[in-house]
Amino acid sequence: MRVLPSILSLAVCSSFAALASSSETAIERLTVQGDLRQQSVQQLAGSIAVVSEQDVKRTSAQHLDDLLSQFANVNFAAGASRGRYIQIRGIGERSEFVDTINPSVGILIDGIDYSGLGISGISDIAQLEVFRGPEASRFGANALAGMLNLTSKGPTATAEGKVSATLANYASRQLAAQYSNSLNSKLGYSLSLEQQSSDGFIDNAFLNRDDTNNIDEFTGRAKLAYQATDALALTLITHITDQDNGYDAFSLDRNRTTLSDEPGQDQIRSKALAVKADYSGLPFATFQGQLSWLSADGDYGFDEDWSYVGIHPDEYSTTDRYLRARDQLTLDYRFVSTPEGKLDQSDWVLGLYVANKSFDLTRQFWNWDLWQADSFVSSLNRTNAAVYGELTTPLNSGWSLVSGLRLERYDDDYSDSSANAIKNHDTMWGANISLNYQVNNQALIYLLASRGYKAGGVNGDALAKAADGNLAELNSKASFKPETLYNAEFGVKGSALDQSITARVAAFYMWRDDMQVKGWLNPDSGPQFAGFIDNAGSGRNYGIEMENRLQLHPQLALFVSASWLKTKLGRYVTLDGDNFSGREQAQAPRFQYSLATDWYITEALTFNLSLQGKDSFFYSDGHNARSSRYELLGARLSYQLANWELALWTRNALDQDIGVRGFYFGNDPRDGYQPHVYEQFAEPRRFGASASYQF
């Protein structure tokens, strides 16, 4: 394939061009908040993308979904009102039904674990970091394939505020406000509020409504910072999320027109609290710690038949509803060595992580074996404990060796209404070692090897179906093992003194051992499915990713990111006898690219243009349904007037149908339940106007 050498040549040439024009005195401004030492992105081994507030504005992004297309080797799946399940380098989950998922890609917001819940508002984003590849040493079991780390805006020394409003098609509205200040030299605060609403992009022909897949989301975040002493800084963080969205996304006619008589819902109400401490009074190290608590209640359900009573004599009419409650308490603290100005001195980090999480589920569904409404209740309590560390050892001028290790144990206590009571536990370990050559402050060449992991678990749905007696073959799928990921990576990063060139490129090869895949059993080709997580032997994922920024002219900047990815399933034969061994993995497009420009026409007038493209990919590891290749075109014209900014924008200007979740089965009684590819589509053509006032 010629595309790989082309991308590799472009990426390496631009990276070394940046190295050649860099300088010892250049200062990189992008500090990675999720790093153990919070270093510059140009001084960290590993493939890391950093998005600032300006990057969000460039694409008129209102939600995480709108941002993900610009990242190389990042994909996502919906199956809900929003994209909630993220894949990096082809690895990640696609849904969560009966069984509690173990995320391969986690999400942190201000250090609080939102993995599996997704992100609602991003209007107060200060920085978003995308870590690609196994990050067990930094983040543990929820970072098998990577991690998204979002930092919201915090207190400021002087009063700062912003109010913004957006109106767009499909009756979309967004109102956001942020304010920060300090009461005195020791006490500061920040507050951000956001409300989003939209009718959604679905027409329900049976109910004659256009809002059955609506968006109604509120997000509130606040921070209180207290400088208790010269050496001790305390921060109190609070989050509130109230998501009351509809869910009516799949159509029997395989378009944006549904026939549901009982549209579903996708509701999440969560609250979180965290206390963060930084103490620099020790002679040998700085202490950093955070204690966080999160509670979330979810109500997710849908019209299982996607139709109405009376559509056909062979019809069925059922709904499926999942009521979830999640509570978690997490403690993470570490000691970071204090540098003494000696170039030959080792730098170290030593930390401890403890978490307790409980997941309670009540599923309300139609039991086809009993031919009556039924419910299934399960409870999972998981305790994690880990110790981790990292050591940076200088070798000689510019060379260093960075090594990290994390040991983690989890203990699961599972029970359900089918009289199952199972205890699982395992001890896992992750590691990283990199040989780095720091050319200067702006340029790095590295060779990295890392090992990641994620926990195993219990297949409660399989156990329940096996207990019914009709699906005894599911007894062999009662539980699944942890997965391990090995990664080898070579990377080059560089930026010029005048920031006219910034380039990063990484080539990687990953080996998945006991890879976890989602399997389904449909014994009678009817509406009854049994889902379970299976281990599919091994898998391969390898490729390349790059990100470049070029200042072509004082008034024109170009942003380029691209990736090429090759994946392969190990030996995997489903319970239905389908052999997918050797096939490409799900949610793993072979190529992705993103082009964007900033054209400063005048001091007040700016034009942004963006184009993202993605190859087709399989929707699942258990069937051959594929998405379509697509291109996303966006544009934004903004005018700055004193403290005001006015903007006109469009997303998906070509109005392409972009699949974000897909299934392959029969669900239409009008054609005798013949199997089809059913897809959920992302937003169609969007256009709107935004205004903001900053003070």
Side-chain angles (χ1 to χ4, degrees), residues 264-284:
Q265 67 285 334
D266 184 18
Q267 301 172 355
I268 297 176
R269 290 174 174 82
S270 69
K271 46 188 178 293
L273 185 68
V275 178
K276 182 179 179 182
D278 291 273
Y279 181 67
S280 57
L282 300 175
F284 60 91

Side-chain angles (χ1 to χ4, degrees), residues 390-678:
E390 190 171 86
L391 177 67
T392 301
T393 306
L395 301 178
N396 53 42
S397 180
W399 290 89
S400 63
L401 186 70
V402 179
S403 52
L405 178 66
R406 187 183 187 105
L407 297 176
E408 183 165 353
R409 178 181 175 85
Y410 75 91
D411 290 271
D412 283 357
D413 189 352
Y414 172 86
S415 61
D416 63 35
S417 54
S418 296
N420 294 298
I422 299 175
K423 295 182 183 294
N424 278 343
H425 61 85
D426 214 319
T427 300
M428 307 169 293
W429 66 275
N432 65 277
I433 184 168
S434 65
L435 179 63
N436 303 340
Y437 176 54
Q438 193 75 53
V439 182
N440 50 52
N441 290 337
Q442 294 294 98
L444 174 71
I445 302 173
Y446 68 88
L447 186 62
L448 168 70
S450 53
R451 184 187 196 270
Y453 57 84
K454 72 171 179 176
V458 176
N459 282 317
D461 195 21
L463 287 170
K465 294 294 194 307
D468 290 341
N470 294 331
L471 300 174
E473 59 265 55
L474 288 174
N475 280 313
S476 63
K477 305 299 181 184
S479 61
F480 53 95
K481 297 184 291 185
E483 177 178 347
T484 305
L485 177 64
Y486 299 90
N487 174 58
E489 184 172 320
F490 170 75
V492 180
K493 302 180 180 183
S495 60
L497 171 62
D498 59 0
Q499 300 297 306
S500 59
I501 302 176
T502 299
R504 304 182 187 102
V505 59
F508 60 90
Y509 187 95
M510 302 196 300
W511 174 294
R512 303 177 67 178
D513 193 18
D514 288 323
M515 63 178 293
Q516 296 174 9
V517 296
K518 186 62 181 279
W520 296 92
L521 183 63
N522 181 215
D524 54 6
S525 299
Q528 177 178 232
F529 286 84
F532 56 90
I533 298 175
D534 203 359
N535 293 100
S538 62
R540 309 287 188 277
N541 301 58
Y542 57 90
I544 188 170
E545 55 216 10
M546 71 164 188
E547 290 163 335
N548 297 274
R549 179 187 183 276
L550 307 173
Q551 191 72 43
L552 303 177
H553 183 273
Q555 293 176 263
L556 184 64
L558 175 66
F559 304 84
V560 182
S561 70
S563 60
W564 180 86
L565 178 66
K566 179 67 176 176
T567 64
K568 182 180 179 181
L569 283 169
R571 176 170 174 76
Y572 180 46
V573 181
T574 69
L575 286 180
D576 289 328
D578 296 321
N579 189 347
F580 293 101
S581 303
R583 202 205 68 179
E584 290 182 351
Q585 297 170 23
Q587 296 289 136
R590 285 202 175 189
F591 66 82
Q592 295 176 246
Y593 66 87
S594 175
L595 304 173
T597 61
D598 288 350
W599 179 22
Y600 299 95
I601 303 172
T602 67
E603 289 187 3
L605 192 63
T606 304
F607 180 66
N608 310 106
L609 187 67
S610 64
L611 177 67
Q612 288 95 32
K614 186 177 297 183
D615 194 15
S616 64
F617 53 86
F618 290 103
Y619 281 123
S620 172
D621 291 319
H623 59 70
N624 286 317
R626 298 181 69 112
S627 70
S628 298
R629 172 181 171 176
Y630 69 80
E631 287 76 33
L632 275 174
L633 179 65
R636 185 177 191 268
L637 182 66
S638 60
Y639 184 75
Q640 189 79 37
L641 179 64
N643 294 340
W644 286 92
E645 184 181 50
L646 308 175
L648 299 174
W649 55 266
T650 180
R651 295 195 301 263
N652 192 9
L654 303 178
D655 199 23
Q656 296 201 1
D657 287 333
I658 299 165
V660 290
R661 187 70 173 108
F663 298 99
Y664 181 76
F665 62 94
N667 203 38
D668 193 341
R670 299 171 301 181
D671 64 6
Y673 293 102
Q674 290 296 311
H676 298 285
V677 178
Y678 292 108

